Amino acid sequence: MTVHLHWFLPTGGDGRTLVDRHAYTDGGIKRSRITPAGGVRAPDIDYLVQIAKAAEQLGFEAVLTPTGTWCEDAWLTTVALAQHTERLKFLVAFRPGVISPTLAAQMASTYQRITRGRLLLNVVTGGDSTEQKRFGDHLDHDQRYARTDEFLSVVRGVWSGQPYDFAGEHYRIDGGLTALPPDPLPQVFFGGSSAAAGPVAARHADVYLTWGEPPAQVKEKIDWIRQLAEEQGREVRFGIRLHTISRDSAGDAWATADRLLDDLGPETVAAAQEALGRSESVGQQRMLALHGGSRDRLEISPNLWAGVGLVRGGAGTALVGSHGDVADRIEEYHALGIDHFVLSGYPHLEEAYWFGEGVIPELARRGLVPPVPGARVFAGGGR
């Protein structure tokens, strides 16, 4: 019982396709229209409550909530959803560069008391200068990671319950204090594939989070971060961010993946690839390299499909197959050292049920997660 399963809250909008899922149909630039386009589900509280309750009922431990221009604020949204759930934890993504570290520590402490200890933190340093500048952040890529290093030092320092002083390049804190430290301390999830990111993860992360690459590449990352952490006298756990398309048979799953591709015209893919190619994120460049913008070889490893990354930034791969196939791949990644699986699918409500009713009972049968009351195991089909 060592695998932790998490789902995703689509706070920028949801739908049945990989494109046009945002509630702001003009892309959010002018905010001139906020009426969802056809087939797009707005991220209103009622819909997000449905997903959160489904995730809790199905046996997911937490839900990741993103941060950025195109989504609702993660802190406010999830503390509202906490009032509609009982056990579900919230992996709140936030950007260190746009908030005081002492204030962030205080917010986390308050959050833990309001939710009775259901906060996890996802630190997003940021790999897109255009996005960062919208929030008034003009540092370059490596400077952002240096600032994150200082930020997390301050956060942990002020959680001690004693006045904390810090003098760095980016922050000077005199007597920083969280009068009532959070209990328990929130786990810190942190990702980054660049040379600047690794040492920061080694010093501060409780869970190092990678996007879904083939197992051999994931193992290289694990070995890299583990070695850096050992040099700091620390141990780091590992997680992976993936989409899923799981069905009663492999054929049905791959047919669903093909249908998602049918919605993507050449112009749409080309425009997305051009935009994503400008990202400073090393992790994003690794995602793009998995498929090279081509539809020809999207199954880059058994049951690992890179089609999502043709148009979506960030996590661009999905586990595709029968429930047994997907469980096999999770077990494979777990054997490499991955404990946390942060998953999603389009649309998020329906895919939560496909995974929760199909894969989770299979993982329980293998002893990797606790059994969910009333669940049944689906027989895995061939492709």
Side-chain angles (χ1 to χ4, degrees):
M1 299 183 185
T2 53
V3 168
H4 301 267
L5 298 174
H6 314 292
W7 197 244
F8 185 84
L9 285 173
T11 57
D14 200 9
R16 296 180 178 275
T17 70
L18 297 178
V19 293
D20 296 329
R21 291 175 292 101
H22 290 295
Y24 298 105
T25 56
D26 64 355
I29 298 297
K30 298 178 181 177
R31 298 294 166 99
S32 59
R33 291 188 294 147
I34 59 173
T35 303
V40 175
R41 300 176 190 176
D44 58 57
I45 195 67
D46 292 333
Y47 181 58
L48 296 176
V49 165
Q50 288 186 64
I51 297 174
K53 285 187 172 182
E56 183 171 73
Q57 176 186 359
L58 291 165
F60 291 98
E61 179 178 334
V63 284
L64 170 64
T65 309
T67 185
T69 301
W70 315 121
C71 51
E72 300 286 16
D73 176 75
W75 294 92
L76 294 174
T77 301
T78 56
V79 81
L81 293 174
Q83 310 311 303
H84 296 271
T85 52
E86 297 178 2
R87 301 175 306 280
L88 189 69
K89 297 178 182 179
F90 297 94
L91 180 50
V92 174
F94 72 100
R95 299 176 189 271
V98 299
I99 188 174
S100 154
T102 305
L103 178 59
Q106 183 183 41
M107 290 168 62
S109 182
T110 301
Y111 197 113
Q112 287 295 63
R113 285 189 290 279
I114 290 175
T115 65
R116 296 176 176 84
R118 292 194 276 155
L119 174 66
L120 307 170
L121 293 175
N122 181 30
V123 178
V124 180
T125 300
D128 183 344
S129 289
T130 301
E131 171 78 355
Q132 295 297 129
K133 289 174 183 177
R134 293 191 185 110
F135 291 90
D137 181 10
H138 291 264
L139 296 184
D140 66 25
H141 177 276
D142 288 1
Q143 287 178 317
R144 290 197 293 268
Y145 277 102
R147 180 181 57 198
T148 296
D149 193 359
E150 293 187 9
F151 181 98
L152 292 174
S153 295
V154 173
V155 167
R156 293 196 183 276
V158 301
W159 277 344
S160 69
Q162 301 295 323
Y164 178 77
D165 296 335
F166 182 87
E169 180 181 355
H170 301 282
Y171 298 105
R172 177 177 173 178
I173 305 296
D174 298 325
L177 178 67
T178 299
L180 293 174
D183 183 21
L185 294 180
Q187 293 183 74
V188 174
F189 287 63
F190 179 93
S193 300
S194 67
V200 182
R203 280 190 287 272
H204 299 288
D206 296 306
V207 179
Y208 175 82
L209 194 59
T210 180
W211 287 328
E213 299 178 354
Q217 292 174 242
V218 170
K219 184 179 185 303
E220 290 176 358
K221 276 192 176 181
I222 290 174
D223 291 344
W224 171 48
I225 297 297
R226 183 173 284 151
Q227 176 62 39
L228 291 174
E230 288 175 356
E231 293 170 3
Q232 298 288 328
R234 300 185 70 243
E235 291 186 6
V236 176
R237 297 183 298 281
F238 297 92
I240 193 167
R241 175 78 179 90
L242 288 157
H243 305 281
T244 67
I245 303 174
S246 174
R247 295 293 185 270
D248 297 349
S249 73
D252 287 347
W254 286 103
T256 300
D258 290 340
R259 181 186 60 76
L260 289 174
L261 282 187
D262 289 342
D263 293 328
L264 306 180
E267 299 83 2
T268 299
V269 173
Q273 290 295 293
E274 181 182 359
L276 294 171
R278 293 193 294 268
S279 173
E280 297 174 336
S281 166
V282 173
Q284 182 63 72
Q285 299 310 314
R286 290 170 67 104
M287 282 282 100
L288 295 177
L290 294 176
H291 53 70
S294 171
R295 302 170 186 249
D296 296 337
R297 295 180 296 277
L298 290 175
E299 189 177 1
I300 56 175
S301 183
N303 305 108
L304 184 65
W305 182 68
V308 181
L310 290 175
V311 292
R312 185 196 190 280
T317 53
L319 297 180
V320 180
S322 68
H323 305 308
D325 292 337
V326 173
D328 286 344
R329 300 287 77 77
I330 289 175
E331 192 166 16
E332 181 180 12
Y333 281 117
H334 180 57
L336 297 177
I338 298 291
D339 294 328
H340 292 262
F341 292 80
V342 184
L343 308 170
S344 56
Y346 303 106
H348 288 77
L349 182 60
E350 287 91 326
E351 288 298 336
Y353 277 101
W354 277 113
F355 186 93
E357 294 177 341
V359 181
I360 290 180
E362 176 63 21
L363 294 173
R365 187 185 67 78
R366 303 181 189 196
L368 294 174
V369 299
V372 179
R376 66 188 181 95
V377 176
F378 287 80
R383 183 173 178 179

